Amino acid sequence: MNFSSNWWRAPVYFTVSVLLAFLAISTALRSLPKDEPLPTKSIAAPLFLEASVALRRSGFSIMASLLQITPEIFISSSHSTIFAIPDSSIANASHTLWLLKHLFQYHTSPLQLSMNDLLKKDKGSCFPTLLRGKNLAITNIDAKERVVEINHVLVSHPDIFLEGPLTIHGVLGPFTSMDPLYIGQGWDHIQAPICDSNLSLVSEVIDTKKVVEWTHIIRLLSSKGYISFAIGLNFVLDGILEEQRRFSSVTVFAPPEFSFVASPLALLDKIVRFHILPRKFTYTELASLPANVSLRTLVPHHDLEMSWGVNMTHKLIINGAKIVAPNIFLSKKFVVHGISQAFQLAHLPNTSR
């Protein structure tokens, strides 16, 4: 007998649905005034059933089950637009129940927004969600091609359901990171764009994963004895995060002693950036480069020069400093090398950026 390759997902779907149903119902019951009778069966139940069937037909089985079992998560006003998250993005989620509930509320707007309504909006316009204070933003739109991206996520299945007060679209992925690592670091668990009072986009979300990796790097450097450089890096991290929008990977050279940490902030920022390359180079990749090659840093017009050591040491030397601890941190987009001493700028830059 042949079984579908996704047979194992069934218990996962059922477990997620039942747990979230319990959470939503419990929350709803706790929010009722003590003298208010419990709600009877919703007159909108047939609507939710039809919407659930439409979602399931389009491949959004988890969202279909949730809408049918616990519509309270998604419905809190006279109109609702739901952006259905793919099953693959939810099945292995390790969030706590309240985080998952917030995630689904962030994918629901109290406005009725068909695909035609979305296409009439301007790029950079925002609209509210059921999660208070958290908006969504139109980040790309092409009316001719009928393409809309929200928080840089494509609306892949427009108008799955259009009936009465309920509109449902399918999206290619979640509108916010589902990586639980940063929650323990104290970062807001739903990373939303910043919009002004006129619901216009002011600032997009900084990639939370990058924030987490930088935080991990700073802690790792401190634990391995690169304390003064870790302090300096932490001081100027906000500017580097903003800069990192323009490149996808990073190489950091960390010295054990970093006397510049007491410098004025603008100068400290320049010198820390002089120890960072806007591209990832593992030790092996550096070793494969030709001698005396220039390496571009985050300081314009101030490159590093690489050479090989002499007297049989055969160590890579960058601007006179040996790489003594290669690849002390290595991930998909980051690498950190320990060096023997801080790099010296031939001509210290002025304090203006």
Side-chain angles (χ1 to χ4, degrees):
M1 181 180 294
N2 293 326
F3 291 93
S4 167
S5 61
N6 291 323
W7 66 268
W8 58 271
R9 293 185 183 272
V12 177
Y13 295 165
F14 178 78
T15 302
V16 172
S17 300
V18 171
L19 290 176
L20 282 170
F22 175 79
L23 172 67
I25 294 170
S26 300
T27 303
L29 291 176
R30 286 198 300 271
S31 65
L32 290 172
K34 292 182 179 180
D35 57 349
E36 184 175 330
L38 296 178
T40 57
K41 185 176 181 179
S42 172
I43 60 174
L47 181 69
F48 299 139
L49 178 58
E50 292 176 21
S52 179
V53 170
L55 277 166
R56 193 167 281 107
R57 284 175 178 167
S58 297
F60 297 88
S61 299
I62 293 181
M63 297 290 283
S65 298
L66 291 172
L67 182 61
Q68 186 175 354
I69 299 172
T70 61
E72 297 89 351
I73 296 178
F74 308 97
I75 309 299
S76 67
S77 63
S78 57
H79 297 92
S80 287
T81 297
I82 299 171
F83 297 94
I85 308 170
D87 292 353
S88 58
S89 297
I90 307 173
N92 297 318
S94 56
H95 291 300
T96 60
L97 295 180
W98 68 271
L99 284 176
L100 283 171
K101 182 180 178 182
H102 283 185
L103 179 72
F104 295 131
Q105 289 177 328
Y106 185 57
H107 286 73
T108 307
S109 174
L111 306 178
Q112 192 162 15
L113 298 168
S114 67
M115 187 61 170
N116 285 336
D117 294 326
L118 291 171
L119 288 168
K120 292 175 184 176
K121 290 186 172 292
D122 296 324
K123 181 179 178 180
S125 61
C126 302
F127 54 94
T129 70
L130 294 188
L131 194 59
R132 181 176 296 181
K134 301 292 185 180
N135 295 312
L136 296 170
I138 304 289
T139 49
N140 188 31
I141 190 163
D142 188 330
K144 184 178 180 180
E145 298 294 331
R146 296 187 66 80
V147 170
V148 174
E149 290 185 8
I150 299 172
N151 287 21
H152 295 290
V153 176
L154 179 68
V155 178
S156 55
H157 295 68
D159 297 338
I160 287 177
F161 187 80
L162 292 170
E163 188 71 34
L166 184 59
T167 301
I168 303 177
H169 308 290
V171 292
L172 203 58
F175 291 146
T176 183
S177 173
M178 294 187 66
D179 190 340
L181 289 175
Y182 62 86
I183 296 172
Q185 306 287 348
W187 304 101
D188 197 348
H189 60 281
I190 298 293
Q191 297 291 301
I194 299 172
C195 306
D196 62 20
S197 58
N198 296 319
L199 289 179
S200 295
L201 182 63
V202 174
S203 176
E204 295 187 24
V205 178
I206 294 175
D207 189 339
T208 306
K209 290 185 179 180
K210 292 178 182 176
V211 176
V212 173
E213 285 205 90
W214 278 113
T215 303
H216 181 72
I217 287 170
I218 290 170
R219 292 183 176 180
L220 178 71
L221 288 172
S222 297
S223 68
K224 290 186 175 294
Y226 300 89
I227 297 174
S228 56
F229 184 75
I231 292 171
L233 178 58
N234 188 59
F235 276 150
V236 302
L237 184 58
D238 287 346
I240 291 174
L241 283 169
E242 188 66 30
E243 180 88 1
Q244 198 175 355
R245 294 178 187 273
R246 302 206 302 265
F247 50 88
S248 59
S249 60
V250 175
T251 300
V252 179
F253 296 103
E257 300 293 334
F258 194 65
S259 59
F260 302 102
V261 72
S263 303
L265 184 59
L267 179 58
L268 174 64
D269 181 75
K270 293 275 188 180
I271 299 176
V272 169
R273 287 166 179 263
F274 190 52
H275 288 73
I276 299 174
L277 310 180
R279 179 179 170 183
K280 176 186 167 187
F281 286 102
T282 64
Y283 187 81
T284 300
E285 290 169 338
L286 287 172
S288 67
L289 296 175
N292 303 318
V293 68
S294 293
L295 302 171
R296 183 167 61 92
T297 73
L298 294 188
V299 182
H301 313 300
H302 286 79
D303 296 344
L304 299 173
E305 185 175 291
M306 191 192 73
S307 60
W308 283 98
V310 294
N311 298 329
M312 304 300 291
T313 60
H314 208 61
K315 289 183 180 293
L316 284 179
I317 296 177
I318 311 288
N319 271 37
K322 296 178 182 178
I323 297 181
V324 294
N327 302 340
I328 58 175
F329 177 85
L330 182 61
S331 70
K332 186 176 181 180
K333 296 185 177 181
F334 287 76
V335 63
V336 180
H337 305 295
I339 55 177
S340 58
Q341 62 188 38
F343 299 143
Q344 302 290 325
L345 280 167
H347 302 284
L348 287 177
N350 57 40
T351 57
S352 60
R353 288 189 61 179

